[in-house]
Amino acid sequence: MSGSTETANISSLGKGDSLHQQVLASFPLCHMTEEDLIQNPQFCKLLATLAQHVDQTGLTAPLKTELDKAEKKLQIQKLQWLRSESLHRGLQEMIQNHCVRKHHATVPPDQNMFYETMERCLLVAQCVRQLDPSNTTNQDQPSILGLTPQLVMELMPSEKNVQRMKQGLPRQLEKHLKEKCLSLLSYYQPEWEHESEGLKMTKLTYLSAQLDKEKKRAESLKETCRENTVLLQRQTELYLTELTKCIQLLQSFILNHRLKIQTDLDRKKLDYFEGKCELILQKIRAEMVEIQLDTYTPDSISAHRKIREKLESELKACKVEKQSVELKLASFEILGKDFEALAEEYCRLRQEIEMKNWALKEFTQYND
């Protein structure tokens, strides 16, 4: 019964390419291609069934709910911590600014008392927090230098100075935060720096919304960039696969084309060599007839010697040229028309060498 239900659920998702696309969309973090799903249909059905129980991140619905609750709780804790940390850092900045002003100008005594009291209160509170163990720490652990929170609290300023400091603190803190906000506004929009303070405060009320809007826009662009990266990876894989197939197909076409034209090329070479040999034989016969008609005079013997020397020099030159052509043939035998021209040149030189060797041999016998 459960098997038929799963089959019905898979059928409701889609068939063929539609099912493959839905599975890929359900698991964007997995580096899969549609070809992988086609080659593994059972694995595709498993993922299609799994997609009905988990989200795109691989979490089930109950686990996703618990994770959302934990994240909300964490956000609340982070917000509380950020508030206290921002306040603490703001107070420290106020103390640092007061120290800088005190070194460059004369500060009224009441301001000195205000900032000294505030600084002392912060130091005592920080020490008490370090000495007071939390619920997660061991209560029996030894104290630092034998100090206790009660001993440190005795270092607090007088109650009168503390109350005076608390009365003036909101006004001073507001002034400090206002200066920081205006500085942030000038950094965000430099052209507003010379505006009036009222206009700056008006624009400052919209700064938070603008920053939040730009933050969401940046997150959206980041998500779009991530999706485009995944899509680009898939398209690159498909492109490389198709490119490999095209290269293999092109190689097969080239091989078939070479095999088809090789027979015609060999036939043409054979006809060429036959005609070349016939012309060489006719030339040799004509030269032999001329040699036989000559007499054994000193001039003819001298002429024969010159002819022999000429033939020997030409034979040496042809051998050198033959070696050069053989080297070229070894380097360029895979070329098309260039290889054919080199082959014809090689055959021509061989024919000339054989002809001159034969003529030299006949001439030597004739002289003897």
Side-chain angles (χ1 to χ4, degrees), residues 106-259:
T106 303
V107 180
D110 56 341
Q111 288 190 9
N112 278 330
M113 180 62 66
F114 173 82
Y115 285 105
E116 288 176 0
T117 303
M118 183 172 62
E119 183 179 9
R120 194 167 184 179
C121 290
L122 287 177
L123 289 175
V124 170
Q126 186 176 1
C127 293
V128 169
R129 185 173 58 183
Q130 294 292 333
L131 294 173
D132 189 13
S134 64
N135 296 329
T136 60
T137 59
N138 186 7
Q139 298 289 338
D140 298 332
Q141 65 180 0
S143 60
I144 301 174
L145 300 177
L147 296 175
T148 61
Q150 292 76 17
L151 292 176
V152 176
M153 288 295 296
E154 295 178 358
L155 300 176
M156 283 286 291
S158 63
E159 185 66 22
K160 181 180 179 181
N161 291 337
V162 172
Q163 292 297 329
R164 189 180 301 171
M165 184 268 296
K166 287 182 179 180
Q167 291 177 359
L169 181 60
R171 183 176 66 258
Q172 295 294 333
L173 182 61
E174 181 182 1
K175 179 181 178 181
H176 175 72
L177 294 177
K178 180 180 177 181
E179 292 176 354
K180 287 195 67 175
C181 290
L182 292 177
S183 176
L184 178 62
L185 180 65
S186 299
Y187 175 79
Y188 179 68
Q189 292 290 346
E191 62 272 12
W192 294 351
E193 185 174 2
H194 301 290
E195 300 289 345
S196 62
E197 184 175 349
L199 185 59
K200 286 183 179 180
M201 296 302 298
T202 303
K203 293 182 177 180
L204 190 61
T205 57
Y206 301 101
L207 182 60
S208 177
Q210 291 179 355
L211 293 177
D212 185 61
K213 182 179 179 181
E214 290 194 3
K215 180 181 177 182
K216 292 180 179 179
R217 179 173 173 270
E219 291 176 352
S220 176
L221 291 175
K222 185 178 180 180
E223 180 66 19
T224 303
C225 182
R226 188 188 66 81
E227 294 176 356
N228 290 337
T229 302
V230 174
L231 180 61
L232 180 61
Q233 290 177 351
R234 293 177 181 175
Q235 290 179 348
T236 302
E237 292 175 357
L238 293 176
Y239 172 76
L240 292 176
T241 303
E242 295 297 326
L243 184 61
T244 303
K245 292 180 180 179
C246 292
I247 292 175
Q248 294 175 353
L249 185 61
L250 182 60
Q251 288 176 346
S252 63
F253 285 160
I254 293 174
L255 181 60
N256 293 334
H257 179 68
R258 285 184 176 179
L259 292 176

Side-chain angles (χ1 to χ4, degrees), residues 72-137:
K72 289 181 180 178
K73 186 177 180 180
L74 179 61
Q75 290 294 334
I76 293 174
Q77 296 290 339
K78 287 175 65 176
L79 182 60
Q80 293 177 354
W81 180 85
L82 286 173
R83 286 175 178 173
S84 61
E85 184 68 16
S86 299
L87 179 60
H88 183 262
R89 292 190 179 185
L91 295 177
Q92 286 183 334
E93 289 177 358
M94 292 172 61
I95 295 172
Q96 291 176 359
N97 294 337
H98 171 71
C99 293
V100 173
R101 288 196 303 269
K102 187 168 63 173
H103 284 288
H104 290 83
T106 303
V107 180
D110 56 341
Q111 288 190 9
N112 278 330
M113 180 62 66
F114 173 82
Y115 285 105
E116 288 176 0
T117 303
M118 183 172 62
E119 183 179 9
R120 194 167 184 179
C121 290
L122 287 177
L123 289 175
V124 170
Q126 186 176 1
C127 293
V128 169
R129 185 173 58 183
Q130 294 292 333
L131 294 173
D132 189 13
S134 64
N135 296 329
T136 60
T137 59

